[in-house]
Amino acid sequence: MEQWSKETIVEFRRTLLAWYDAEGRDLPWRHGRNPYHTWISEVMLQQTQVQTVIPYYENFIATFPTVTDLAWAPEATLLKAWQGLGYYSRARNLQRAAQQLVTDYHGQWPETAAQLEDLIGVGPYTASAIASIAFDQVVPAVDGNAFRVFARLLMIDADIAKPKTRQLFTDIIQPIVDPQRPGAFNQAIMDLGSSYMTAKNPDPEHSPVRRFDASYRVGRVLDFPVKTKAPRPKLMPYYGLIVHSPAGYLLVQRGSQEMLSGYWCFPLVKQTDLRDEKQADEATEEMDLAVLREKWLRENQLALPLQLLGGRPVSHTYTHQRWQVKLLVAELAVTPSLDFLPGQWVAADRVSALPLPKVQEKMMARYEKQVGHAVFKEN
């Protein structure tokens, strides 16, 4: 690993911050040093690109201008504002932490990374980002960008997939953080990792810090950071039931113990729930449909003339699961009651007003493509 002298560290800070002052991205959450704005943006930016986040952030802040507004917002309003960003537990944790801030902290923000980590859903990176940007605490914000930038600059060969490696990087970066402008330093590292030092197709030759880049000097840029591959997401095959009656489409709200809790979607049935272990390898779609029809009649008192829609399954990948949803359709001439099913009949032009997960939007889009015209269009 490369070792920097005090003089090199001072020169690196000067070079990095001069570039950031001239070329740093103009992002809406960087206008001022509001910890609430920094917090919301950092949580949204987890697993999501900046250009995608900007309109979500602006709408979110307009909808919930203060921590108090967020703390006591109706869940449906919160989920609708988050719809499309994915990783929906983040939205719930935001609200729970907001309630913490209002009730336990009387609206006063903790000002150190250690204290901020006591908030629900706030991890080491987010805590350090808020503490440095909003409160000038001299701490490194170690995320994917920081891992990549400093692994290349210093040729750190520790595996960043291992949890203990975060502390190693924190200890290495800590003395490099600019003590006068820690927030700007961390944001400059974010911008560097998103421009000249990207994971793929980096441009180290034109990087403003290329003379500090040990991996560039020896032609090994793409060897860093070192990261073992994560296991592939587990395949989860489902059937999605598109049931239509004169009253609209059948939608159910996902339960508190399910993924996508609180969001509305077409009923989803795991294919494995329809198959006995002994016949799993021999099961066919016709057999599944027969079992599914019987199951819904027995458990929900609904007779569904389900038919396969056709076309490719809808695919959506979460961190540990890859859902593949085959769509089934049933057209009912009469609207049955839903006394035995926690669902609702929703008119086509009102479906989009509900908080919907991305997989539901994909199912709707696939259905509209198959029927040949827009169905779920708000007036």
Side-chain angles (χ1 to χ4, degrees):
M1 187 185 88
E2 182 94 348
Q3 299 288 338
W4 283 354
S5 67
K6 290 182 179 179
E7 292 75 18
T8 301
I9 290 173
V10 170
E11 186 61 19
F12 174 77
R13 292 170 183 160
R14 187 195 66 77
T15 303
L16 177 71
L17 290 173
W19 169 76
Y20 177 70
D21 289 340
E23 304 292 342
R25 291 174 293 182
D26 181 17
L27 302 173
W29 47 86
R30 290 182 177 175
H31 300 167
R33 301 199 309 166
N34 186 322
Y36 178 59
H37 294 174
T38 300
W39 176 45
I40 299 302
S41 68
E42 290 297 345
V43 174
M44 286 187 170
L45 286 165
Q46 295 166 13
Q47 310 294 332
T48 311
Q49 293 184 344
V50 168
Q51 292 307 311
T52 300
V53 163
I54 289 174
Y56 280 99
Y57 168 83
E58 292 176 333
N59 175 67
F60 198 93
I61 295 300
T63 306
F64 315 110
T66 68
V67 169
T68 302
D69 293 320
L70 173 58
W72 309 126
E75 184 182 70
T77 305
L78 171 66
L79 295 180
K80 189 65 180 175
W82 198 267
Q83 179 179 317
L85 278 173
Y87 301 91
Y88 301 107
S89 62
R90 293 182 296 171
R92 288 194 173 81
N93 284 337
L94 278 173
Q95 185 167 56
R96 292 169 66 198
Q99 292 167 353
Q100 244 184 307
L101 282 163
V102 171
T103 58
D104 298 348
Y105 294 84
H106 308 292
Q108 296 298 310
W109 279 83
E111 295 187 5
T112 69
Q115 293 169 335
L116 285 160
E117 282 192 61
D118 289 336
L119 297 176
I120 294 166
V122 175
Y125 165 73
T126 303
S128 295
I130 298 170
S132 63
I133 295 168
F135 302 113
D136 281 331
Q137 188 186 6
V138 185
V139 289
V142 183
D143 67 344
N145 286 311
F147 276 133
R148 186 166 58 257
V149 168
F150 283 100
R152 289 175 179 172
L153 292 177
L154 301 173
M155 291 181 62
I156 303 170
D157 61 3
D159 183 357
I160 66 170
K162 295 181 178 179
K164 65 181 181 180
T165 301
R166 174 178 294 277
Q167 188 59 51
L168 171 68
F169 272 76
T170 298
D171 293 341
I172 292 170
I173 303 169
Q174 179 68 60
I176 304 175
V177 177
D178 190 283
Q180 304 304 318
R181 301 178 63 194
F185 180 94
N186 284 328
Q187 290 178 107
I189 295 299
M190 296 172 198
D191 285 7
L192 196 59
S194 300
S195 55
Y196 295 99
M197 301 183 75
T198 51
K200 297 179 180 178
N201 302 313
D203 184 16
E205 184 176 352
H206 298 100
S207 166
V209 296
R210 62 184 174 276
R211 62 193 176 94
F212 301 94
D213 190 340
S215 68
Y216 171 62
R217 286 198 301 271
V218 298
R220 294 185 56 198
V221 170
L222 293 180
D223 290 344
F224 299 93
V226 175
K227 184 178 182 180
T228 53
K229 290 185 178 180
R232 288 185 177 182
K234 181 181 179 182
L235 179 63
M236 303 290 289
Y238 281 88
Y239 286 115
L241 280 56
I242 304 178
V243 183
H244 183 248
S245 79
Y249 288 86
L250 176 61
L251 274 82
V252 296
Q253 189 173 31
R254 302 283 291 179
S256 60
Q257 301 304 309
E258 297 180 293
M259 284 182 63
L260 313 178
S261 171
Y263 281 86
W264 290 82
C265 63
F266 297 137
L268 293 168
V269 179
K270 290 181 180 178
Q271 292 183 19
T272 52
D273 288 348
L274 304 174
R275 302 174 179 180
D276 184 279
E277 289 185 10
K278 296 179 182 178
Q279 66 168 26
D281 293 336
E282 302 173 4
T284 64
E285 289 173 352
E286 289 75 16
M287 294 168 62
D288 285 347
L289 262 63
V291 173
L292 189 52
R293 294 187 193 106
E294 188 277 329
K295 179 182 176 70
W296 271 64
L297 183 59
R298 182 181 71 251
E299 296 180 0
N300 304 319
Q301 303 297 300
L302 290 177
L304 302 181
L306 291 165
Q307 300 293 329
L308 195 66
L309 180 63
R312 293 181 295 107
V314 170
S315 182
H316 192 72
T317 301
Y318 298 98
T319 305
H320 303 297
Q321 297 182 7
R322 181 166 64 90
W323 289 13
Q324 282 197 337
V325 186
K326 291 185 177 180
L327 298 181
L328 307 176
V329 295
E331 187 70 38
L332 307 180
V334 178
T335 302
S337 68
L338 300 176
D339 296 337
F340 299 92
L341 180 70
Q344 290 185 13
W345 296 107
V346 183
D349 62 356
R350 297 304 302 154
V351 170
S352 296
L354 295 171
L356 308 172
K358 192 67 176 179
V359 69
Q360 171 66 15
E361 293 179 343
K362 287 184 176 182
M363 288 191 288
M364 289 159 54
R366 178 61 55 81
Y367 177 69
E368 289 182 329
K369 183 177 181 180
Q370 294 293 111
V371 300
H373 63 274
V375 176
F376 306 102
K377 197 170 184 178
E378 288 187 80
N379 290 332

